[in-house]
């Protein structure tokens, strides 16, 4: 059963939201960025990431000795909501901020923290996530990329696929098999390595979106040497470490706000047209969004308490229900208002419609398919 906490923002948190919103509106007025849907995955802008780093807004919750601000998970939730609501280009530093930093703080060595975290908070070091492989479907436990022990490190051979922004990243946290596959315990023998994507033997091949944009990649490893000090946590503990990492990946506001710029522009357009019937229909979207947001922010509060064991089921629900919601927005918009979707359209609603339509197929696949997530929920409920 779910026992998610409710969250009331403090006066300081509300003030922080106002501060972030004012900053983004100023940068928008300067023309620093162009808003777009799904900006957390397709809005790459290293200059903007460095600007965010200068604000102290990357690694917001991390210890100050690594460059963080030691603020709360709820503060970071507010920050993320504001970025996504306006469609800001945060993809370059996204995975390092959301996943790699928390992973290293929990499982990494002090050497890794001191080397990587200060670079990440400046918006100057980007990480990819190496999980999925060809022919493995959504079954991560069947990965075949292997690492063999040699003097001073590991030799990696294999392939990862659907790796977001690997062509722009400096490193990738990669799930590899460090022991032979055991059919009776297929989660055993997996480990996480930090691989330098500029290292000899690494080849990155683009997989282009329906929009023509380069976002996903195939990454090949051909006898790539990884030194011992780039092992994250314990050898053989990669599965457990990866599950903890996925709680951060699946439960955030990015799982419900990828198409928020379209929702906002739909409402603005209906107001301009004095379309009260359309606004009535649009209000149903807002009601659904509000419910999903409460679910998502409840998980954020659990993560704040450090109670990660209770997070996997609600995190899976946020991802499964939230991405279905995101996926439905272009169709609902089409039924409410007349649009002419085009990536080059003058009207924002037409551009946002085109972006949403072309990106939506991936919403329920990336970060774990809906079928996998339903399995997580079912197994978790039965276990209780």
């Amino acid at each position: 059963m779910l026992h998610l906490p409710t969250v009331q923002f403090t006066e300081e948190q509300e003030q922080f939201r106002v501060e972030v919103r004012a900053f983004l509106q100023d940068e928008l007025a300067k023309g620093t960025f162009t808003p777009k849907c799904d900006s957390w995955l397709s809005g790459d802008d290293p200059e903007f990431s460095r600007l965010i780093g200068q604000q102290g807004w990357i690694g917001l919750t991390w210890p100050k000795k690594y460059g963080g601000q030691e603020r709360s998970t709820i503060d970071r939730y507010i920050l993320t909501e504001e970025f996504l609501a306006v469609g800001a280009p945060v993809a370059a530093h996204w995975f390092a901020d959301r996943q790699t930093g928390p992973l290293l703080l929990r499982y990494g060595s002090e050497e890794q923290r001191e080397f990587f975290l200060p670079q990440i908070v400046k918006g100057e070091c980007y990480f990819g996530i190496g999980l999925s492989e060809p022919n493995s479907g959504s079954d991560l436990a069947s990965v075949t990329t292997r690492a063999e022990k040699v003097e001073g490190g590991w030799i990696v051979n294999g392939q990862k696929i659907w790796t977001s922004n690997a062509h722009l990243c400096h490193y990738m946290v990669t799930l590899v098999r460090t022991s032979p596959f055991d059919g009776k315990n297929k989660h055993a023998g997996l480990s996480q390595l930090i691989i330098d994507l500029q290292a000899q033997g690494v080849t990155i091949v683009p997989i282009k979106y329906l929009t023509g944009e380069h976002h996903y990649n195939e990454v090949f490893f051909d006898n790539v040497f990884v030194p011992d000090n780039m092992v994250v946590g314990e050898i053989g503990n990669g599965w457990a470490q990866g599950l903890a990492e996925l709680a951060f990946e699946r439960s955030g506001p990015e799982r419900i706000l990828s198409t928020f710029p379209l929702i906002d522009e739909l409402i603005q357009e209906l107001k301009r047209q004095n379309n009260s019937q359309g606004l009535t229909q649009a209000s149903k979207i807002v009601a659904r969004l509000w419910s999903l947001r409460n679910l998502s922010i409840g998980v954020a509060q659990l993560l704040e308490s450090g109670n990660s064991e209770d997070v996997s089921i609600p995190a899976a629900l946020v991802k499964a229900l939230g991405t279905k919601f995101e996926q439905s927005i272009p169709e609902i918009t089409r039924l409410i208002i007349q649009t002419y979707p085009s990536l080059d359209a003058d009207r924002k609603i037409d551009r946002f419609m085109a972006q949403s339509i072309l990106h939506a197929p991936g919403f329920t696949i990336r970060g774990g398919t809906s079928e996998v997530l339903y399995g997580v929920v079912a197994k978790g409920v039965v276990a209780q």
Side-chain angles (χ1 to χ4, degrees), residues 77-279:
Y77 196 97
I78 290 169
L79 180 69
T80 307
E81 276 193 324
E82 292 303 315
F83 283 149
L84 301 183
V86 77
V90 292
H93 66 269
W94 186 267
F95 294 102
D97 184 26
R98 184 183 69 179
Q99 283 173 250
T100 309
L103 178 74
L104 295 182
L105 285 169
R106 185 169 183 180
Y107 295 107
S109 67
E110 189 58 29
E111 178 187 1
Q112 290 167 353
R113 294 175 191 138
E114 290 181 353
F115 181 75
F116 290 114
L117 299 186
Q119 298 182 69
I120 293 173
V121 298
K122 292 178 182 174
E124 297 175 349
C125 182
Y126 313 136
F127 272 78
I129 306 298
L131 294 175
S132 299
E133 294 188 2
N135 305 317
S136 290
S138 296
D139 183 12
L140 287 181
S142 68
V143 300
T144 59
T145 295
R146 66 187 188 282
E148 298 178 9
K149 190 73 182 82
V150 295
E151 185 176 356
W154 300 78
I155 294 294
V156 178
N157 283 284
Q159 178 185 357
K160 296 293 177 180
I161 195 168
W162 307 119
T163 309
S164 298
N165 294 327
H167 58 298
L168 299 173
C169 292
H170 304 93
Y171 300 94
M172 184 163 76
V173 175
T174 311
L175 188 68
V176 299
R177 190 163 290 287
T178 45
S179 298
F181 179 77
D182 179 357
K184 295 180 181 177
N185 185 11
K186 58 185 182 179
H187 295 155
L190 294 169
S191 304
Q192 289 180 302
L193 306 182
I194 297 174
I195 297 182
D196 183 346
L197 293 177
Q198 306 303 313
Q200 186 174 3
V202 176
T203 303
I204 300 172
V205 178
I207 303 172
K208 292 195 174 181
Y209 252 152
L210 291 172
T211 59
E213 296 168 297
H214 180 184
H215 168 69
Y216 291 115
N217 298 274
E218 289 182 276
V219 182
F220 297 87
F221 307 107
D222 182 11
N223 290 320
V224 177
F225 177 74
V226 180
D228 280 327
N229 63 355
M230 289 296 107
V231 174
V232 180
E234 299 177 20
I235 288 293
N237 196 39
W239 181 257
Q241 294 173 193
L243 286 183
E245 190 181 356
L246 287 175
F248 292 98
E249 178 177 347
R250 290 174 172 166
S251 61
E254 65 271 26
R255 299 306 182 183
I256 59 178
L257 294 178
S258 297
T259 48
F260 185 84
L262 175 58
I263 297 173
D264 186 48
E265 188 57 24
L266 168 64
I267 293 171
Q268 299 307 320
E269 189 67 26
L270 290 169
K271 287 180 178 176
R272 286 191 284 269
Q273 296 179 9
N274 292 318
N275 187 338
S276 58
Q277 186 174 1
L279 283 168

Side-chain angles (χ1 to χ4, degrees), residues 319-355:
K319 206 284 181 178
L321 299 176
T323 53
K324 287 284 187 185
F325 167 76
E326 293 178 325
Q327 220 166 38
S328 71
I329 300 304
E331 176 64 7
I332 294 172
T333 300
R334 182 186 71 81
L335 295 174
I336 295 177
I337 199 169
Q338 194 167 35
T339 65
Y340 303 91
S342 168
L343 294 173
D344 302 317
D346 291 331
R347 285 201 316 169
K348 279 198 290 187
I349 194 165
D350 295 331
R351 291 200 306 276
F352 291 159
M353 268 293 280
Q355 293 162 4

